[in-house]
Amino acid sequence: MDVQWNDLIVRDARALTASEIRDLLKVAERPEITSFAGGVPDPALFPLGDFNSVYRDLMDDDTAGRRSLQYSISEGLPALRQWIVDDLATNGAVRDISNILITCGAQQGLDMLGRLLLEAGRQIVVEKPTYLGAMQAFSMRRPEYVGVDMDDDGPIIAQLEAAFANGARIAYLAPDFQNPTGRSYSLERRLAVLDVARKYGAVILEDAAYCKLSYDGTSLPSLLALDDTGGDLAAGTVIQLGTFSKTLAPALRIGWVTAPRPVIERLVLMKQAGDLHVSTVNQEVALRAAGRLFPGHIDGLRDAYRHKRDTMLAALDDFMPDGVTYTRPQGGMFIWLTLPENIDSRRLLELALEEAKVAFVPGQAFFCDHSGTNTARLSFATEKPDRIRSGIERLAALIKRVHNQY
Ligand SMILES: Cc1ncc(COP(=O)(O)O)c(C=O)c1O
């Protein structure tokens, strides 16, 4: 008898499904395609020479080198957690190293928090649209998503309050340069989110993946910073996810969760059971690289990405037909396009790959309720400015033609 995999594989695991557009987007990797589809940093901006010397210096140091190749504690290296605590303080968040767990990227933090806080049928509030990877992590627990609409200042507070009033106690939110829209919350909206969460005893999972990539010199306090715990290390409404993926290199796989102590204590046990700890050598390298390169390297990233953002916005302004609107992000890597209602962005992607030789991500995948069929995510991070301009010009011409056909 054949193995009956569908009986063996548990329902939670069967809840994970492959993205329909993944195959289509494989085409985006071809050199003739100008790709606005990727969600990754520009590899040309990785500080290769600095990494070379950081690794070499580490291995030239007999004691530190050997220590970095050994097992280490599940919480993460104390010196790295202290660096994170000091960095959080520059944004106004007062926390302690016992509030920090080092994770394998922010993505593992999302997975672990999903396993800690979600179960089948439990509600979780997400932005509409939201980060697809978060929904993938959470969906393994088969929660019930409650979508909240957004405007240019953040989530609609009446909808957030209604979700909490209806029993939701967890919200996953990204207040800075959100993936996929590039939008940020205003200070007033941040305070209102916290007020309403506190009113219902709800927890906010704050994704701060892009918070350092601010291009207009603005840096608002995070929800974590606004969540004043009065020095009580066990208190707090906000759990924040951080990462070095957007500022150093994603391949380090160094992220972190900042949370009240009782949460960290649970997560540490899960980390021990799951994979013991994050790579010691990569933690050591991340610490040394951040110490050596920040803030100068981040300033360089800001200049490079700002130029690309400006190039894409100028091209959109110059070429997009009436009826197409887009966000004007002050940071991050993404611009969010809203097309005329009659254009399905998945169909448009097929034509764009074939005719305009341009790739983007259709927006529907980022909506928990599968709405947003006329939306698209454009990344300006990886293409060179001249290709950004010509790619947007070709995409705009295609949209004009498709729109006129209907
Ligand atoms: C909003 C957001 N959160 C989390 C992540 C995961 O980042 P990492 O696991 O590389 O730290 C990403 C990656 O693209 C992201 O865009």
Side-chain angles (χ1 to χ4, degrees):
M1 185 180 166
D2 290 342
V3 177
Q4 301 300 302
W5 291 113
N6 265 344
D7 296 339
L8 278 181
I9 293 173
V10 296
R11 279 184 73 186
D12 281 355
R14 276 185 278 144
L16 281 179
T17 52
S19 158
E20 302 154 45
I21 52 169
R22 216 170 43 178
D23 286 343
L24 213 49
L25 287 175
K26 275 197 193 124
V27 179
E29 287 160 23
R30 293 191 194 145
E32 71 270 23
I33 302 285
T34 299
S35 181
F36 304 133
V40 301
D42 185 350
L45 300 173
F46 293 150
L48 226 51
D50 293 295
F51 272 120
N52 190 10
S53 50
V54 167
Y55 274 106
R56 206 183 41 233
D57 290 353
L58 181 58
M59 293 308 152
D60 280 348
D61 179 332
D62 196 73
T63 309
R66 287 177 195 285
R67 200 180 50 218
S68 77
L69 295 173
Q70 187 55 281
Y71 287 112
S72 53
I73 57 173
S74 299
E75 289 85 340
L77 298 185
L80 178 59
R81 286 183 289 142
Q82 187 59 52
W83 187 93
I84 292 163
V85 165
D86 295 343
D87 189 59
L88 289 173
T90 64
N91 184 258
V94 181
R95 296 296 188 277
D96 178 79
I97 71 165
S98 62
N99 294 121
I100 311 253
L101 169 73
I102 306 295
T103 54
C104 181
Q107 193 64 30
Q108 187 181 42
L110 290 167
D111 171 59
M112 291 177 74
L113 288 165
R115 285 190 284 130
L116 187 73
L117 299 172
L118 297 177
E119 58 191 358
R122 189 177 282 192
Q123 295 182 336
I124 178 163
V125 179
V126 292
E127 298 157 332
K128 270 172 45 181
T130 188
Y131 168 51
L132 177 58
M135 281 199 290
Q136 282 172 329
F138 301 150
S139 288
M140 183 83 181
R141 302 295 281 184
R142 294 183 289 128
E144 185 189 320
Y145 291 108
V146 183
V148 167
D149 289 314
M150 312 283 291
D151 65 20
D152 281 340
D153 284 330
I156 307 298
I157 295 299
Q159 291 187 20
L160 189 61
E161 170 137 29
F164 291 151
N166 283 330
R169 289 292 173 269
I170 304 161
Y172 166 73
L173 304 173
D176 293 297
F177 323 124
Q178 189 226 29
N179 178 1
T181 64
R183 284 194 189 117
S184 295
Y185 298 7
S186 66
L187 182 58
E188 294 70 24
R189 204 63 71 85
R190 288 169 198 244
L191 292 167
V193 163
L194 270 178
D195 271 357
V196 76
R198 286 205 190 102
K199 181 171 163 192
Y200 291 90
V203 51
I204 307 285
L205 310 182
E206 176 184 36
D207 194 324
Y210 295 92
C211 68
K212 292 239 184 257
L213 296 183
S214 158
Y215 307 141
D216 298 324
T218 50
S219 174
L220 290 173
S222 62
L223 296 177
L224 186 80
L226 295 169
D227 185 24
D228 185 359
T229 54
D232 180 351
L233 302 179
T237 302
V238 178
I239 296 176
Q240 192 190 60
L241 296 127
T243 179
F244 280 130
S245 287
K246 316 298 173 184
T247 50
L248 281 177
L252 287 171
R253 307 308 301 132
I254 305 286
W256 54 91
V257 174
T258 306
R261 250 188 195 169
V263 175
I264 294 294
E265 282 162 11
R266 285 274 143 207
L267 291 176
V268 168
L269 294 175
M270 289 168 68
K271 185 85 185 134
Q272 264 165 11
D275 60 358
L276 303 181
H277 61 79
V278 172
S279 153
T280 317
V281 62
N282 283 3
Q283 290 187 68
E284 191 69 54
V285 165
L287 173 64
R288 288 169 179 235
R292 191 186 290 203
L293 293 173
F294 290 0
H297 175 62
I298 294 180
D299 291 340
L301 294 180
R302 286 182 177 139
D303 290 344
Y305 287 130
R306 183 193 304 110
H307 179 50
K308 290 180 185 226
R309 176 205 59 180
D310 290 346
T311 306
M312 186 174 273
L313 281 176
L316 289 165
D317 290 346
D318 288 346
F319 302 123
M320 277 296 159
D322 288 346
V324 177
T325 58
Y326 37 88
T327 53
R328 306 191 83 87
Q330 292 177 342
M333 297 181 174
F334 306 105
I335 291 176
W336 184 248
L337 214 58
T338 305
L339 303 160
E341 297 256 334
N342 63 351
I343 297 184
D344 181 333
S345 57
R346 281 192 296 187
R347 174 81 190 110
L348 183 72
L349 174 63
E350 287 170 27
L351 293 173
L353 288 169
E354 228 171 84
E355 296 178 24
K357 306 288 178 219
V358 169
F360 57 83
V361 183
Q364 201 180 7
F366 303 99
F367 286 83
C368 61
D369 59 2
H370 310 292
S371 57
T373 51
N374 62 327
T375 59
R377 188 190 75 178
L378 303 176
S379 165
F380 50 80
T382 45
E383 289 286 2
K384 293 200 164 50
D386 56 329
R387 277 173 62 102
I388 291 178
R389 187 166 175 83
S390 57
I392 292 292
E393 185 173 12
R394 292 196 302 279
L395 181 62
L398 175 68
I399 291 172
K400 219 178 282 181
R401 186 169 69 65
V402 170
H403 186 37
N404 290 341
Q405 270 173 7
Y406 290 109

